[in-house]
Amino acid sequence: FHGAEVDIHPDGELDYDDNILESLDHVIASVHQPLTKWRNRDEGENTESLLTALRHPSVNMLGHPSGRILQGREGYAYNLQEIIKQISELRSKGRALAVELNSSPYRLDMDWRELIHVRKAKIPVSIAPDAHSVEGLNDARFGVEIGRKAWLEPKDVLNCRSITELSEFGFHPKMN
């Protein structure tokens, strides 16, 4: 599988062209832009921008949804229940959608209390180390611990699935 984490602009558009997105097996949409724009807006605007990104046909994962950095910056306001509802609706129509649990000890985003709602909605979770070096791969253990705190089981976690199961989920390798 090959994919990319792409930035969600404040209007919900993505920072890659559609022809590039269509060539990828998976696309993680995340907010990276200056978060002052996101933090200075209300919950409704932020939620709608996230939903716009999730509706893009190439997107199959929402990355570190709150944008927080622990002991560094607050996240921005968004309506998690609305995000869960939209992901569930899209999944019921056959879309492969999941959320990321960013394992960086500086993020741990999603919060374990939010993950409980995700688990109850049967939305798969990907535990990602957010590694910026080989050593950063070890941070996955923090995500596993947060997942345990939210009572995630292997069936809830994309990382626990085989290649065949990921293909059945909806990640389809493109033979380019």
Side-chain angles (χ1 to χ4, degrees):
F1 297 111
H2 65 281
E5 181 178 22
V6 301
D7 195 21
I8 303 172
H9 294 283
D11 63 359
E13 295 299 313
L14 304 175
D15 70 340
Y16 282 29
D17 292 331
D18 283 347
N19 61 338
I20 294 172
L21 295 171
E22 290 167 6
S23 74
L24 300 172
D25 302 320
H26 65 93
V27 174
I28 304 164
S30 307
V31 174
H32 293 104
Q33 291 199 11
L35 291 184
T36 52
K37 290 181 181 179
W38 289 77
R39 282 197 304 268
N40 291 332
R41 299 190 314 176
D42 67 27
E43 176 182 287
E45 280 184 284
N46 289 338
T47 301
E48 191 52 43
S49 294
L50 294 173
L51 293 175
T52 298
L54 285 170
R55 290 181 193 116
H56 190 286
S58 295
V59 170
N60 45 30
M61 192 177 306
L62 178 61
H64 50 77
S66 82
R68 75 181 187 183
I69 300 287
L70 296 173
Q71 297 183 350
R73 70 173 181 230
E74 291 293 321
Y76 50 84
Y78 72 104
N79 184 325
L80 175 65
Q81 294 307 318
E82 192 60 36
I83 299 293
I84 288 172
K85 178 182 169 190
Q86 183 68 44
I87 290 174
S88 295
E89 286 176 17
L90 290 167
R91 284 179 47 76
S92 74
K93 295 175 182 172
R95 284 281 304 281
L97 280 169
V99 296
E100 175 198 44
L101 164 53
N102 186 300
S103 298
S104 166
Y106 301 104
R107 278 196 189 270
L108 298 177
D109 186 8
M110 303 186 80
D111 186 275
W112 68 272
R113 292 164 288 218
E114 295 172 329
L115 279 172
I116 290 172
H117 300 290
V118 170
R119 177 182 51 83
K120 287 180 179 178
K122 298 183 178 3
I123 296 170
V125 174
S126 173
I127 298 176
D130 195 18
H132 294 250
S133 67
V134 173
E135 293 79 24
L137 294 171
N138 292 323
D139 290 346
R141 68 176 196 224
F142 299 119
V144 170
E145 294 300 325
I146 294 298
R148 286 179 175 163
K149 198 169 181 177
W151 291 87
L152 295 183
E153 298 179 30
K155 67 180 173 59
D156 304 315
V157 180
L158 287 177
N159 310 57
C160 296
R161 298 183 185 186
S162 68
I163 293 287
T164 301
E165 291 169 321
L166 287 172
S167 292
E168 290 168 358
F169 172 73
F171 292 168
H172 300 291
K174 294 172 178 62
M175 303 301 170
N176 296 333

